[in-house]
Amino acid sequence: MDTGFLSFLAEPWFVIPWNAIGLLGAAWVLYDVYFVNKQVNGAVKWAWPIIVFFFSIIGLALYWWTMPPAKHRGRGRRKRKEAAPRIRQRAF
């Protein structure tokens, strides 16, 4: 099995920016889970910065996709709950 096409993964032009983005992303995730997304449980608060550090841009994308801020969570559900009383009033 030839893995020559993956040789760029060991080059400094790739490794240094990848790790720098991972380090900055992990710092941002730490801030986010401790000051913004406070409802995140303890184990996940420690796991996400590690994931983001090692997976860099991919880890940040996963974090943003799976851990939205509380103000964005359940938006559709909230609209349905607000609309439910109006629908019941019209029905009866």
Side-chain angles (χ1 to χ4, degrees), residues 37-67:
N37 257 347
K38 293 181 181 180
Q39 77 280 0
V40 177
N41 70 25
V44 176
K45 282 184 180 183
W46 287 101
W48 272 115
I50 295 168
I51 291 168
V52 170
F53 177 72
F54 284 108
F55 290 99
S56 191
I57 297 169
I58 298 167
L60 276 173
L62 285 171
Y63 178 78
W64 286 330
W65 184 48
T66 60
M67 302 296 291

Side-chain angles (χ1 to χ4, degrees), residues 79-89:
K79 285 182 180 178
R80 286 192 302 270
K81 283 183 179 180
E82 291 170 358
R86 290 184 299 209
I87 293 170
R88 286 187 207 122
Q89 288 173 351

Side-chain angles (χ1 to χ4, degrees), residues 5-54:
F5 66 95
L6 295 175
S7 63
F8 73 94
L9 293 173
E11 297 293 329
W13 63 265
F14 179 80
V15 173
I16 293 170
W18 183 264
N19 287 334
I21 292 169
L23 185 63
L24 292 172
W28 178 80
V29 167
L30 274 172
Y31 168 78
D32 191 57
V33 297
Y34 281 100
F35 296 107
V36 179
N37 257 347
K38 293 181 181 180
Q39 77 280 0
V40 177
N41 70 25
V44 176
K45 282 184 180 183
W46 287 101
W48 272 115
I50 295 168
I51 291 168
V52 170
F53 177 72
F54 284 108

